[in-house]
Amino acid sequence: MTAQIPRILSSLAVAAMAAACGGSFSEIPIETPLRPKLDVSGFESILVAGFIAGGTDDVDGNLETTRLLRSQLRNQSDMRIVDSDVLPLIEVAIESRTISDTSTEREDPLAPEPILADEDLAQYEHLFANVDYWKQIGEEYQQPLIVTGTVMFASQDRSGTVQRDQEVYDSFGRRSVVPVRTYLERTGFVLRPRFIFIDGRTGAVLYSENFREEVLYNANQTSPALSSYFELMDRLLPSFLSTLSTQTIRGTRVLLQ
Amino acid sequence: MRPVFKLSIRFLVLFLVFGTLDVAPLVADARDDARQQVDFGIEVAQRGLWREAIYRWERAAVIDPTYAAAHNNLAIAYEQDGDLGKARISYERALALEPGNVFITQNYELFREINDRTNPQNTQ
């Protein structure tokens, strides 16, 4: 019964709109196929290699993202999913930087610097352009399509003055709505992943895509970081999957006469 | 009254009488023909025959290009077919013809949600 309420409300809304428009109409369910953004026909397998992750310490963005994408791809993709250890990409990036840049004067050039903001990711970006490294990884795993990238998951504070509508009644009992500005303490999380698809045969980047999702809670609400992470990943997974395979989006439209 | 002016008025009267008599039924006929195509398209679409529906609504849009319902329905059929580019064009035509139509606006907003997924924020 509860599940039917939104459907009933939707039908009532459509009926009200029909009355307003004065025309004949009929609702129809549709299924929209979204073609994949990337041609993956040349690959038999896919390797979610790992990610350079930063932000909060409460969630290991590298491990969790790799695990989640592998499990989603197992259900949604026809390609074989390579099971391997998650690559420690930060260490690999530092090593390759140290080899190429001998002028580094840091005390311990191999010690990873904390990634707290998007700017901190820049020092590791060169890894994704390292064709030799990715070609070597490709050879190791029978030349799969490689998925890698960066994941920034951080807490955020959005406290401030917000405007909202409030009902007021005058001395005659007449109702009206007035905008009221109130101070609201809100905290939450922001997730900014960048997925990079690399050809395991050549080591070259085929495609990359940035996402941004955020969630805010009132101060009296608490949500564990990991559950917020999954909530935000859940929102962008259809877009990620639509890069590799055809996705069908179900919906309803109104036909007019 | 000057003869040239008189003649112009006579032509104007003739045009208004015979011109509208001739054109008005044509417009009505076009809309009736287009409506028949639209109705049949709806019937077949409801049975899942979307190819036939596209054919009917495309004909309706040719017969009467000002018929917003034909463009709206065509946009829906293109969505079902996965042709989002054509769907956008048809929705925009429908909205241009009837900007205040809440059904077309609602359909278009739902379409845009899907279409935005296929247009990533940043690609290489």
Side-chain angles (χ1 to χ4, degrees):
Chain A
M1 179 65 193
T2 319
Q4 284 181 334
I5 291 172
R7 203 176 299 164
I8 293 166
L9 287 174
S10 162
S11 300
L12 284 173
V14 167
M17 284 195 285
C21 284
S24 296
F25 72 96
S26 54
E27 268 192 292
I28 192 159
I30 64 162
E31 292 184 356
T32 308
L34 295 185
R35 295 189 182 98
K37 297 167 204 161
L38 196 60
D39 178 13
V40 294
S41 55
F43 299 97
E44 287 179 4
S45 59
I46 184 165
L47 167 69
V48 184
F51 295 86
I52 290 177
T56 176
D57 289 335
D58 297 336
V59 173
D60 185 334
N62 182 18
L63 277 179
E64 296 299 345
T65 308
T66 305
R67 205 155 42 194
L68 182 65
L69 294 188
R70 283 182 184 176
S71 97
Q72 289 293 317
L73 287 167
R74 259 186 213 104
N75 296 328
Q76 306 274 341
S77 169
D78 295 332
M79 284 189 284
R80 183 174 60 83
I81 314 302
V82 177
D83 262 323
S84 68
D85 290 338
V86 178
L87 297 178
L89 293 182
I90 290 182
E91 284 78 3
V92 176
I94 291 171
E95 274 176 29
S96 62
R97 183 181 59 192
T98 314
I99 292 164
S100 62
D101 180 14
T102 49
S103 65
T104 307
E105 290 179 6
R106 290 171 56 206
E107 271 184 29
D108 182 2
L110 292 177
E113 289 174 40
I115 302 171
L116 302 172
D118 285 335
E119 302 79 58
D120 300 330
L121 287 169
Q123 59 189 314
Y124 303 106
E125 287 283 337
H126 66 277
L127 177 66
F128 304 117
N130 188 342
V131 171
D132 291 337
Y133 173 73
W134 293 111
K135 201 171 169 185
Q136 183 197 323
I137 294 290
E139 281 166 8
E140 203 175 317
Y141 294 101
Q142 288 85 48
Q143 300 177 326
L145 173 68
I146 299 168
V147 181
T148 181
T150 59
V151 176
M152 181 61 86
F153 179 68
S155 58
Q156 61 172 346
D157 183 355
R158 282 282 187 84
S159 298
T161 309
V162 293
Q163 185 171 306
R164 60 194 175 90
D165 292 335
Q166 191 176 338
E167 281 184 349
V168 289
Y169 293 88
D170 64 14
S171 53
F172 300 104
R174 289 177 301 202
R175 175 187 166 277
S176 62
V177 177
V178 291
V180 179
R181 291 175 70 81
T182 50
Y183 183 80
L184 212 57
E185 281 184 23
R186 291 188 301 173
T187 57
F189 293 95
V190 59
L191 177 66
R192 285 186 299 270
R194 179 180 172 215
F195 297 120
I196 299 173
F197 297 83
I198 293 174
D199 188 334
R201 299 166 298 194
T202 63
V205 172
L206 294 174
Y207 180 79
S208 77
E209 190 166 348
N210 291 327
F211 293 92
R212 187 185 190 283
E213 292 287 346
E214 66 172 30
V215 62
L216 287 169
Y217 307 101
N218 289 335
N220 53 0
Q221 284 178 292
T222 52
S223 176
L226 191 59
S227 103
S228 296
Y229 165 82
F230 283 115
E231 183 185 337
L232 296 175
M233 278 300 286
D234 196 52
R235 290 187 202 167
L236 57 86
L237 274 171
S239 287
F240 168 80
L241 292 169
S242 69
T243 308
L244 305 168
S245 55
T246 301
Q247 301 287 304
T248 304
I249 312 287
R250 290 184 178 81
T252 307
R253 301 287 184 274
V254 180
L255 293 171
L256 300 177
Q257 280 181 305
Chain B
M1 199 179 283
R2 283 162 57 188
V4 177
F5 187 62
K6 255 180 166 176
L7 199 65
S8 303
I9 288 178
R10 204 168 289 163
F11 270 118
L12 185 65
V13 170
L14 282 172
F15 173 77
L16 286 174
V17 172
F18 293 102
T20 49
L21 280 178
D22 284 349
V23 174
L26 281 179
V27 172
D29 284 352
R31 178 53 58 95
D32 285 347
D33 288 351
R35 195 187 294 274
Q36 278 178 16
Q37 298 294 332
V38 163
D39 288 351
F40 190 74
I42 291 172
E43 258 184 68
V44 290
Q46 281 167 341
R47 283 191 252 149
L49 305 169
W50 286 96
R51 290 268 163 216
E52 182 64 21
I54 287 176
Y55 173 73
R56 295 291 168 178
W57 292 329
E58 278 178 345
R59 280 192 66 186
V62 170
I63 294 167
D64 184 356
T66 65
Y67 193 9
H71 294 289
N72 170 75
N73 297 356
L74 200 45
I76 294 168
Y78 286 143
E79 268 197 271
Q80 168 78 22
D81 201 34
D83 196 336
L84 303 188
K86 281 187 176 178
R88 174 183 285 278
I89 292 168
S90 293
Y91 275 130
E92 285 172 355
R93 274 187 195 148
L95 272 176
L97 291 166
E98 282 188 24
N101 190 308
V102 283
F103 290 123
I104 302 173
T105 308
Q106 179 191 285
N107 285 338
Y108 185 52
E109 278 169 10
L110 291 169
F111 158 76
R112 279 177 58 186
E113 267 180 40
I114 291 176
N115 193 48
D116 289 350
R117 291 190 194 181
T118 63
N119 296 321
Q121 294 166 36
N122 194 5
T123 57
Q124 190 162 339

